[in-house]
Amino acid sequence: MVINQTMNKKSKGLTEDNFYRIILDAIPSPVFVVQEDVKIVDTNTAASGMLGEAPSLIIRKRAGEALHCLHSTEVSEGCGRAPHCRDCIIRNSVNDALKGKKQIRQKTRMEIAREGKTAKAFFLVTTVPFDFHGEKLVLIILEDIGELVALKSFLPICVHCKKIRNDQEYWQNVEAYFKSHLDINFSHGLCPDCIKKLYPDY
């Protein structure tokens, strides 16, 4: 195997553990490695960045506590013990993964409580089971789809110039809005109605 050959190259100082770390941190989406009861044993750089906390403050917490899920504070026992937790997509996906059934891009909405404010967060959740040094673990990958959800709801658009108002109350043209929110570029053309109106002799 190429991976085994690569890891056996002692001259580069590559070991199994730092190879795992390099791969984990290369993933651009937030990734959590969890045990049973969704207890975090490792994260990647993107997860630490999303939560704004050092990895040492996240490790050993349950995922709901680390993500500041509103329901993780409803009961004294914490994440996984509140009535709402029975329907938690993240928890249920981890439980399925521990039974050998990976879950791919399950949509979930979370209520997040931070600094006295409550907000909604939308994710696609992927959970994949794996064994590491004889321990059964689950990889949780979170894809933030908040912007897509916002775009599916009503967008405030000017009835005359068609600019869209963003969250900072600034009006942007449609192309700039989609470029900044979804990295979408537009190609330009003319529809048949506009061709007739602008170029009636064409």
Side-chain angles (χ1 to χ4, degrees):
M1 294 290 277
V2 174
I3 290 175
N4 288 335
Q5 291 170 0
T6 304
M7 287 197 289
N8 286 332
K9 291 181 179 176
K10 300 290 185 188
S11 62
K12 296 199 176 194
L14 196 61
T15 66
E16 186 178 345
D17 287 337
N18 69 17
F19 187 71
Y20 155 86
R21 168 55 46 201
I22 290 166
I23 290 173
L24 197 63
D25 284 338
I27 300 170
S29 296
V31 175
F32 301 88
V33 180
V34 300
Q35 299 168 316
E36 195 174 350
D37 200 21
V38 201
K39 193 169 283 187
I40 298 168
V41 295
D42 206 351
T43 63
N44 69 347
T45 303
S48 299
M50 178 186 82
L51 298 176
E53 294 180 351
S56 60
L57 299 175
I58 301 167
I59 304 304
R60 290 180 293 282
K61 286 185 178 180
R62 295 184 193 123
E65 294 160 359
L67 291 165
H68 303 282
C69 174
L70 184 67
H71 303 291
S72 70
T73 59
E74 286 180 342
V75 294
S76 59
E77 295 89 348
C79 173
R81 308 310 188 262
H84 186 273
C85 299
R86 285 191 294 270
D87 299 321
C88 175
I89 296 293
I90 294 175
R91 178 165 287 276
N92 291 334
S93 294
V94 167
N95 289 338
D96 285 344
L98 287 168
K99 295 172 190 169
K101 297 189 309 187
K102 63 183 174 183
Q103 299 293 320
I104 308 295
R105 306 185 92 209
Q106 300 289 310
K107 185 177 175 185
T108 190
R109 182 190 81 176
M110 292 183 70
E111 293 177 277
I112 306 293
R114 275 187 107 165
E115 299 172 3
K117 295 180 182 176
T118 303
K120 291 177 184 165
F122 299 87
F123 298 108
L124 293 179
V125 180
T126 296
T127 54
V128 182
F130 71 102
D131 289 319
F132 190 70
H133 294 310
E135 185 177 8
K136 197 163 192 173
L137 301 170
V138 176
L139 202 69
I140 304 175
I141 303 171
L142 298 180
E143 297 174 69
D144 186 350
I145 56 168
E147 290 178 347
L148 286 173
V149 170
L151 287 172
K152 285 181 75 175
S153 61
F154 290 108
L155 288 174
I157 188 166
C158 175
V159 71
H160 178 69
C161 71
K162 306 302 182 201
K163 285 183 181 174
I164 295 172
R165 188 181 70 226
N166 65 20
D167 295 335
Q168 290 76 42
E169 301 294 319
Y170 176 76
W171 291 88
Q172 293 179 291
N173 67 38
V174 172
E175 292 93 336
Y177 183 88
F178 278 86
K179 175 66 179 168
S180 64
H181 283 73
L182 290 175
D183 199 23
I184 293 175
N185 290 311
F186 284 77
S187 62
H188 292 87
L190 284 171
C191 72
D193 291 340
C194 289
I195 288 175
K196 287 177 190 172
K197 183 177 176 182
L198 296 171
Y199 304 102
D201 298 328
Y202 180 69

